[in-house]
Amino acid sequence: MIEVRTATSPAPGRPVNEDAVFQIGDLVGVLDGVTLPPGFDSGCRHGTAWYVRQLVAALCEHYTAGPTEPLATLLRSAIRTVRELHPECDLDQPSTPAATVCLVRTGPAAVDYLVLCDTTLVIEVDGVVTAITDGRFREIIAELRRVPPDPTAGEAVGSNRGYTAGKWKRTNQPGGYWIAAATPEAADEAVTGQVPVGASRIALLTDGAAGAVDSLSIMTWRALLDVLTDQGADALVRRIRIAEAAHAETGEFTGKVHDDATTALLLFPTWAYRGNAAAGPHTPG
């Protein structure tokens, strides 16, 4: 029996949590809605949190109708369904509500996964821990940050360099990066694969949770799995909030100080729980 633990924590001071986590049947997913900074028009009257909730509902609907469909097919259908829910909005706006997505579907012989944009999948197989993410978004942002701000772009763009017109020109475009928004074909560009047989732990993370390793550098991926397993998501988030605040105080940090943080942890029967004598000893990695 696979145990699934899910948790989501809104960023301090934010009015709404734009992340989501869900489980239906054998499907588990985390989504991270893209926050639109002040001064920008998304062309949609509903907003990011609404989009994320609707995408979760559509994923559940299509999974129920076809639980064995490829994950990219499920996501493509869900994006199309949500697009059809608000035809009155300007869905051709590059800043239309969007979300990163990580999905895992467990099965009797394998575990399928899908990673779109900068969510992260962490897997432990035979004691080896591996992180899987879609690096194209970060590559684009890193490239844009090497370019001096455009003084004619306006105050809003100047204060949010990650949201420049250059980024939007590369959203859901060949040679750019792909994200769940209003383009169903983006699902076909996701990173997909199967987890090898023998997985003991799998974690799905939005970037607010994965930041403990890849941006804040306060722990390793193995340590992150251990914190989630032994202490829970609340303990992980507490460490992240402290590190985010300390990072902001250095003066080298740009952008939002805190981010929503969402996790889903799958513990497989092969995992020997710490403190459970019946399960046998566990040696930390």
Side-chain angles (χ1 to χ4, degrees):
M1 182 74 176
I2 300 171
E3 180 183 359
V4 180
R5 304 175 186 174
T6 63
T8 183
S9 173
R14 295 273 295 280
V16 63
N17 188 346
E18 294 174 334
D19 280 6
V21 58
F22 73 94
Q23 178 189 6
I24 179 170
D26 295 327
L27 183 67
V28 179
V30 300
L31 293 84
D32 182 357
V34 177
T35 301
L36 190 68
F40 289 94
D41 178 16
S42 71
C44 175
R45 66 181 180 85
H46 299 91
T48 299
W50 175 88
Y51 177 81
V52 171
R53 291 194 302 269
Q54 296 302 319
L55 191 58
V56 168
L59 281 165
C60 292
E61 174 188 344
H62 288 288
Y63 168 80
T64 300
T68 62
E69 289 285 349
L71 295 180
T73 300
L74 293 176
L75 180 57
R76 183 172 64 249
S77 299
I79 294 172
R80 182 176 295 108
T81 293
V82 179
R83 180 183 179 93
E84 293 170 353
L85 291 178
H86 56 147
E88 73 280 11
C89 297
D90 183 3
L91 303 180
D92 292 327
Q93 278 267 24
S95 54
T96 192
T100 70
V101 181
C102 183
L103 302 174
V104 162
R105 180 176 54 204
T106 60
V111 177
D112 298 318
Y113 67 81
L114 176 148
V115 179
L116 184 64
C117 208
D118 61 351
T119 48
T120 301
L121 180 71
V122 184
I123 62 174
E124 181 181 53
V125 179
D126 296 330
V128 178
V129 175
T130 304
I132 300 170
T133 192
D134 179 354
R136 288 169 291 187
F137 174 75
R138 291 179 183 174
E139 291 172 2
I140 293 297
I141 296 303
E143 179 181 333
L144 291 172
R145 286 176 176 167
R146 291 192 291 267
V147 178
D150 181 357
T152 67
E155 181 179 353
V157 172
S159 63
N160 296 281
R161 293 179 59 187
Y163 293 85
T164 62
K167 170 196 162 184
W168 284 331
K169 289 179 181 178
R170 304 181 192 192
T171 303
N172 288 343
Q173 297 290 333
Y177 73 96
W178 300 85
I179 193 167
T183 306
E185 293 74 21
D188 300 317
E189 302 296 333
V191 176
T192 60
Q194 288 189 328
V195 177
V197 174
S200 54
R201 297 184 288 181
I202 298 178
L204 295 74
L205 312 168
T206 62
D207 65 338
V213 179
D214 60 23
S215 60
L216 297 169
S217 301
I218 59 174
M219 62 183 68
T220 64
W221 293 119
R222 182 183 299 280
L224 184 147
L225 285 176
D226 289 343
V227 170
L228 286 177
T229 304
D230 300 333
Q231 302 174 44
D234 287 347
L236 175 65
V237 171
R238 282 195 297 271
R239 297 190 191 188
I240 289 172
R241 299 301 181 223
I242 293 170
E244 287 172 335
H247 191 43
E249 290 177 359
T250 66
E252 301 174 357
F253 181 77
T254 58
K256 53 189 176 185
V257 175
H258 300 290
D259 197 1
D260 303 328
T262 300
T263 64
L265 176 68
L266 284 70
L267 296 171
F268 291 78
T270 54
W271 173 251
Y273 292 92
R274 296 180 185 183
N276 183 355
H282 167 72
T283 303

